Amino acid sequence: MRDSFVHKGKRKILTEYLRDKVGITDEGVLSAINAVPRHLFMESIFEDFAYEDRAFPIAAHQTISHPSTVAEQTELLEVSPQEKVLEIGTGSGYQTAVLVAMNANVFTVERQKALFDFSHLKLREINLRPKFQAFGDGFAGLPTFAPFDKILVTCGAEVLPTELIKQLKIGGKMVIPIGKAEEQILCRFSKISEKELVREEFGAYKFVPMLSDTNQ
């Protein structure tokens, strides 16, 4: 697939929708959504619908999130250029590409080998490469590269992963859905000190579950 003028026009319409209807105000997020070719991160059969605000199935029984969800999570993260961002759940690579397009230094982990392979190739093809891409257990994070300014978890965890909190710098923020599959709440945790977190809640969502270990 290629990125045509039609695709770019649809992205502009999507960006305007996210600004006017969803309420996204972070111009860095909107600019990245407008720049990243979402249709390249999904099966070609869905190409005509890639810039609608819909989720679609991808490999390994996972999904590519609604553009509005990607935009909302990214806006909550409050990313600044050159910040170190740990992403848990690379998926097909779309959210990763959005963060890279915002000039973040992205470190990303994926537990599904099929998705790791796909996203690694796709991000190289469009030259939106993260600083480091790992096939591994998201609950373990990437301690070698810690601490991180921001952490984004793109799957729902029943409880807050303590190892990830350890890898978040003091003053950093983590955005993560918390709860069982039927009742996840999108949360933002701000790390005030090694022993103090501030939790904010931003409504109910439905994400794929965060699982431990890896899946070949």
Side-chain angles (χ1 to χ4, degrees):
M1 287 189 287
R2 60 193 180 91
D3 189 25
S4 68
F5 286 111
V6 172
H7 295 124
K8 292 174 182 176
K10 289 182 177 180
R11 281 205 297 281
K12 184 176 181 182
I13 293 170
L14 172 62
T15 303
E16 291 170 352
Y17 164 81
L18 293 173
R19 178 187 286 112
D20 298 338
K21 302 299 184 182
V22 180
I24 302 300
T25 60
D26 187 322
E27 290 299 326
V29 174
L30 293 168
S31 178
I33 295 284
N34 191 47
V36 175
R38 185 176 187 245
H39 65 282
L40 298 182
F41 293 92
M42 60 179 66
E43 298 288 345
S44 59
I45 192 173
F46 301 124
E47 180 181 1
D48 290 344
F49 312 103
Y51 297 102
E52 296 180 6
D53 193 18
R54 296 167 58 184
F56 292 96
I58 54 176
H61 307 291
Q62 305 297 297
T63 59
I64 182 171
S65 294
H66 294 69
S68 58
T69 302
V70 171
E72 287 164 350
Q73 279 199 290
T74 309
E75 183 168 65
L76 288 176
L77 207 60
E78 299 180 352
V79 177
S80 297
Q82 305 308 312
E83 282 190 321
K84 284 176 65 179
V85 178
L86 173 62
E87 179 194 32
I88 304 300
T90 315
S92 64
Y94 177 62
Q95 173 72 80
T96 313
V98 168
L99 291 168
V100 174
M102 294 179 69
N103 296 314
N105 293 315
V106 182
F107 299 76
T108 184
V109 182
E110 174 56 52
R111 69 178 294 274
Q112 298 281 358
K113 188 61 163 59
L115 287 174
F116 170 80
D117 291 340
F118 176 88
S119 60
H120 188 263
L121 178 63
K122 192 61 61 178
L123 292 164
R124 288 175 64 89
E125 284 180 354
I126 65 173
N127 200 30
L128 285 173
R129 304 182 191 182
K131 287 291 181 183
F132 187 78
Q133 190 167 359
F135 171 57
D137 184 346
F139 280 98
L142 290 173
T144 302
F145 298 98
F148 297 97
D149 298 295
K150 306 287 168 62
I151 297 178
L152 177 61
V153 181
T154 65
C155 39
E158 291 196 8
V159 296
L160 185 62
T162 55
E163 185 58 35
L164 298 184
I165 288 295
K166 292 178 185 177
Q167 294 175 35
L168 184 65
K169 69 179 289 188
I170 294 174
K173 299 180 187 296
M174 179 165 71
V175 173
I176 178 173
I178 296 287
K180 297 184 183 298
E182 316 78 44
E183 50 188 28
Q184 294 166 351
I185 301 298
L186 186 60
C187 299
R188 180 171 62 193
F189 292 89
S190 299
K191 190 172 183 178
I192 307 303
S193 69
E194 291 298 344
K195 296 183 178 180
E196 183 181 2
L197 292 174
V198 172
R199 172 174 172 154
E200 301 167 272
E201 297 185 354
F202 297 92
Y205 286 76
K206 188 171 183 179
F207 288 80
V208 296
M210 185 175 180
L211 302 174
S212 60
D213 209 346
T214 57
N215 186 356
Q216 295 283 348

